[in-house]
Amino acid sequence: MLYSIVIPCYRSDQTIRKVVELTMKQFETMGLEPEFVLVDDCSPDGGKTVEQLRSLVRDYENVRVVELAKNAGQHNAVMAGLNYVRGDVIIAMDDDMQTHPSQIPILLEELEKGYDIVYGYYEKKEESPFRNFGSYVNYMTTRILLKKPKEMKTSSFWVIRRFVRDYAVEYQNAFTHLQGVFLRITRNVSCIPIQHFKREVGTSNYTLKKLLQLWSNIIGFSVVPLEWATGGGVVLAMLGFVLALFTFVHKLMRPQVQIGYSSLMAALCFFSGVNLFFVGLIGNYIGKILLGISNNPQFVVRQVDEHGKKAWVEYPDGVRLEEAARPAEEIKEMKESMQRFAQ
């Protein structure tokens, strides 16, 4: 059985070699055969990460590197890696040593109990209070919007079976949320506590903006917010009717009472804000639909590096083009001509 390890890489030139080599040693002690699919998510470090990944390709035959032409985000980068794995079991890890190779046997042992997906979760995380709060918000959001089981805890350290991967890569939308994708495929999911290690170099690359963008991707996997908007609109309409009736009756009983300008403005501002919120929510759905049907790419592969082979690009339809460094227009013409020939 072949095990594939997918690692999205972003500014990881100082850590990725250690991650790969420690993982190799861990698999060697277990007597298992691994392959590595390392995805460079267009790291803005002057090519340092790419060069480190290419050096791993030169040194090890079981390492493959997928270089993305633009930053796609962690979840899309993992999806890119899933398109190039060959293993029967796929493991996702981080590039910063926080998802430590020593915890892999724990995940694989749990998978052997018959589960399709196993998440490792951290009882105690070595993160800042801001990141811990963000993780809690993400946990509550996925639990409510994706109807995730209460006892199911997740992280970026997980193991899946091959059939889960095969269905997952069929999801082509650019707004990827891996938990949403996996929960569409199977509910035979387990989670198990593992140790969380401190980051050895640097700080988290997730900014508040990126966390909010990732969180917003959950909307593409749930209509619960729209149900809330409908229910909230009904409740507020009923509340407005009751308040209008109360004001009318109160005026009839006490004609000397003046309708206050301040209260009127407050009511207008409140209901206008609510309306704008729900319009924006619906607009978010419509925007994602528009970008989805316009075939906005989930990720763009610049080239793939393998030990002893030329760089190449393999498209989802099976067309493989070598010398991927050629101009994009030339590659497009070659692909179209090959498709016409195949037809």
Side-chain angles (χ1 to χ4, degrees):
M1 181 177 290
L2 178 64
Y3 294 80
S4 297
I5 297 96
V6 177
I7 305 178
C9 303
Y10 190 80
R11 291 180 174 175
S12 54
D13 58 295
Q14 301 182 55
T15 57
I16 188 60
R17 176 172 286 273
K18 184 176 181 180
V19 171
V20 170
E21 292 179 345
L22 282 179
T23 305
M24 285 182 178
K25 291 180 181 178
Q26 181 63 56
F27 271 86
E28 185 178 349
T29 60
M30 296 187 293
L32 302 176
E33 181 184 0
E35 70 160 2
F36 293 83
V37 178
L38 311 178
V39 183
D40 173 56
D41 195 13
C42 198
S43 301
D45 55 5
K48 294 179 181 179
T49 297
V50 171
E51 183 54 41
Q52 189 64 242
L53 297 180
R54 289 175 180 172
S55 70
L56 286 167
V57 171
R58 292 191 293 268
D59 295 342
Y60 300 104
E61 296 182 0
N62 60 341
V63 175
R64 185 181 301 111
V65 170
V66 179
E67 300 178 23
L68 301 187
K70 65 176 184 177
N71 181 261
Q74 182 181 12
H75 287 223
N76 283 353
V78 172
M79 287 291 284
L82 292 179
N83 279 270
Y84 292 92
V85 298
R86 303 191 185 109
D88 306 290
V89 174
I90 298 94
I91 304 169
M93 299 176 61
D94 290 338
D95 58 352
D96 55 10
M97 292 298 295
Q98 287 189 296
T99 54
H100 203 273
S102 62
Q103 307 300 296
I104 291 177
I106 300 174
L107 298 178
L108 295 181
E109 183 179 355
E110 185 73 6
L111 189 73
E112 290 301 314
K113 296 179 181 179
Y115 294 106
D116 300 326
I117 302 173
V118 175
Y119 282 99
Y121 72 90
Y122 313 113
E123 295 180 302
K124 182 180 179 181
K125 296 184 69 174
E126 301 291 341
E127 293 282 10
S128 66
F130 169 74
R131 283 301 306 276
N132 288 333
F133 175 73
S135 298
Y136 176 76
V137 172
N138 183 67
Y139 164 75
M140 292 301 298
T141 303
T142 53
R143 178 183 161 189
I144 296 172
L145 299 187
L146 302 181
K147 295 179 172 58
K148 185 178 70 174
K150 182 179 179 180
E151 65 279 1
M152 179 179 164
K153 301 178 181 179
T154 62
S155 71
S156 57
F157 200 3
W158 44 258
V159 182
I160 62 175
R161 297 188 184 274
R162 177 74 190 191
F163 86 92
V164 177
R165 172 266 173 202
D166 292 341
Y167 281 98
V169 296
E170 293 181 3
Y171 180 82
Q172 299 294 323
N173 197 292
F175 305 100
T176 306
H177 194 281
L178 287 171
Q179 289 183 38
V181 173
F182 290 161
L183 288 174
R184 283 183 171 185
I185 298 170
T186 179
R187 294 281 171 162
N188 185 25
V189 182
S190 179
C191 58
I192 190 167
I194 57 175
Q195 184 179 355
H196 191 244
F197 290 72
K198 289 185 178 181
R199 186 186 304 272
E200 292 199 352
V201 178
T203 58
S204 173
N205 291 306
Y206 268 112
T207 61
L208 178 60
K209 180 181 178 181
K210 289 183 178 181
L211 288 172
L212 290 175
Q213 287 176 341
L214 177 60
W215 178 83
S216 69
N217 287 348
I218 301 175
I219 289 179
F221 296 86
S222 175
V223 295
V224 172
L226 291 178
E227 295 172 354
W228 287 351
T230 303
V234 171
V235 170
L236 289 173
M238 293 176 62
L239 179 61
F241 175 77
V242 171
L243 289 175
L245 183 62
F246 172 79
T247 303
F248 178 73
V249 173
H250 191 240
K251 180 66 175 177
L252 289 178
M253 296 180 63
R254 301 184 62 183
Q256 68 276 17
V257 174
Q258 298 293 327
I259 302 298
Y261 174 81
S262 299
S263 59
L264 179 62
M265 289 298 100
L268 285 174
C269 290
F270 172 74
F271 288 108
S272 297
V274 171
N275 286 333
L276 286 174
F277 172 77
F278 289 132
V279 169
L281 178 65
I282 297 170
N284 199 347
Y285 275 96
I286 295 174
K288 290 187 183 301
I289 293 172
L290 174 64
L291 292 175
I293 63 177
S294 64
N295 293 324
N296 193 35
Q298 192 177 63
F299 54 84
V300 179
V301 177
R302 181 187 300 278
Q303 68 180 48
V304 180
D305 302 293
E306 283 193 70
H307 186 84
K309 297 182 180 180
K310 291 182 179 180
W312 51 271
V313 170
E314 183 173 344
Y315 291 88
D317 55 10
V319 178
R320 175 180 286 201
L321 299 179
E322 293 185 351
E323 300 180 36
R326 293 180 177 180
E329 293 183 359
E330 184 178 350
I331 291 177
K332 183 179 179 181
E333 293 176 359
M334 291 174 63
K335 180 184 175 182
E336 290 176 350
S337 63
M338 292 176 72
Q339 287 177 331
R340 288 195 296 269
F341 178 78
Q343 293 173 355

